[in-house]
Amino acid sequence: MLSAALLMLAVLSAWGPRVAGRPVWPAVFALALVAAVAEGVLASWALAAVLALAAAGVLYTQLAQRGLARALGVVVALLALALALHVVPGAANPLLAGLQRLSPQSLLFRPWLSVDKGFAGLVLLLCFVPLARSAADWRRVGATLLRVGVPLVVLIVAASLAAGYVAPDPKWPAFALPFLAGNLLFTCVAEEAFFRGLIQRGLATTIGVAPALAIASLLFGLAHLAGGPLYAAIAAFAGLGYGWAYQRSARIEAAILCHFALNAVHFLGFSYPALSPH
């Protein structure tokens, strides 16, 4: 669990102050990587993929707008996607508890921390997305969370209840705090950095804001198809809200926090991960 805790700190330090004019996150990232190897969380191909991702990310940021940067950007995106989708062998992400049913009517669920996805998300964040730095930036994030995030959570929850996907089920499992921290700093950061920061932001400059928002949301829904067509449709609809939060505020933090707010309300207040069909 040390590697997960250090990686959470590395993600947070991306927004942190500099020490002697240098960012803190590279040192914490390196410590998290060493801990992940020592704990057996990353081995073989997964370790190689994270190292290659970090190297490609550093080169990409150093080259800025030079010709090779575009090719390195593609490498970063593909490696990050492979790690985030857990298709690279050699990752043994830490479990928070065994297989369980959080309530009698819910599907079985195994809580774990996606450390490989966390490494991918941090590199994506640092390569492709400008981060909030000033008080004015954070005020914009807060305003967007209130104006977009709160109505979005209410709307998605209402739609999910009406569709029979979830039912009210308030709870606080013993693993709630680390699970929610991992959801915010690994899952939400990685997914928003990829779908909003990379895809939507990149497409908006070439095909326009509305098509970029639609395509990113559709791809976001398709990425959740493993949970079934209804889950994918709900995710695509939620993706529209996250994308609008990003577009309205021009801050990835607004999309991340809207995403996390919905996930947290779902986890703490309703059937998780979903109602059982039986």
Side-chain angles (χ1 to χ4, degrees):
M1 296 293 290
L2 177 61
S3 58
L6 285 170
L7 184 55
M8 289 179 188
L9 185 59
V11 175
L12 287 172
S13 68
W15 285 275
R18 291 171 174 259
V19 176
R22 295 181 178 275
V24 175
W25 71 262
V28 189
F29 182 97
L31 288 174
L33 189 57
V34 170
V37 174
E39 292 177 333
V41 174
L42 293 179
S44 63
W45 288 104
L47 174 59
V50 171
L51 290 171
L53 175 64
V58 169
L59 285 173
Y60 175 81
T61 56
Q62 293 298 316
L63 290 172
Q65 299 302 317
R66 298 179 193 174
L68 188 57
R70 185 180 296 273
L72 283 169
V74 172
V75 172
V76 170
L78 291 177
L79 283 172
L81 185 61
L83 284 164
L85 293 176
H86 315 299
V87 298
V88 181
N93 288 305
L95 291 173
L96 295 173
L99 187 66
Q100 57 191 279
R101 205 180 297 273
L102 294 182
S103 60
Q105 70 271 30
S106 296
L107 293 171
L108 286 168
F109 167 64
R110 192 190 304 274
W112 53 301
L113 295 174
S114 299
V115 172
D116 48 359
K117 191 170 190 173
F119 279 111
L122 178 55
V123 175
L124 287 171
L125 194 70
L126 293 166
C127 283
F128 299 115
V129 191
L131 300 183
R133 298 298 183 190
S134 67
D137 288 341
W138 285 109
R139 283 194 296 269
R140 195 176 304 120
V141 170
T144 304
L145 188 60
L146 289 174
R147 293 172 186 168
V148 178
V150 172
L152 176 67
V153 169
V154 172
L155 189 59
I156 296 296
V157 167
S160 299
L161 286 168
Y165 186 72
V166 297
D169 180 29
K171 56 193 171 300
W172 183 269
F175 57 83
L177 195 57
F179 178 78
L180 289 172
N183 188 269
L184 170 61
L185 297 172
F186 297 164
T187 301
C188 294
V189 165
E191 292 182 2
E192 293 310 308
F194 185 80
F195 288 101
R196 257 54 69 178
L198 176 59
I199 294 179
Q200 182 177 322
R201 182 169 178 258
L203 289 177
T205 60
T206 55
I207 63 174
V209 171
L213 175 58
I215 291 171
S217 302
L218 177 61
L219 292 175
F220 184 71
L222 291 174
H224 291 79
L225 197 55
L230 178 57
Y231 183 49
I234 293 171
F237 190 41
L240 283 172
Y242 308 151
W244 176 240
Y246 173 68
Q247 198 61 45
R248 180 186 177 95
S249 64
R251 301 259 62 94
I252 196 64
E253 295 83 359
I256 291 170
L257 291 176
C258 285
H259 190 161
F260 176 67
L262 180 57
N263 286 1
V265 168
H266 177 196
F267 176 69
L268 295 175
F270 298 88
S271 313
Y272 196 90
L275 276 175
S276 173
H278 306 298

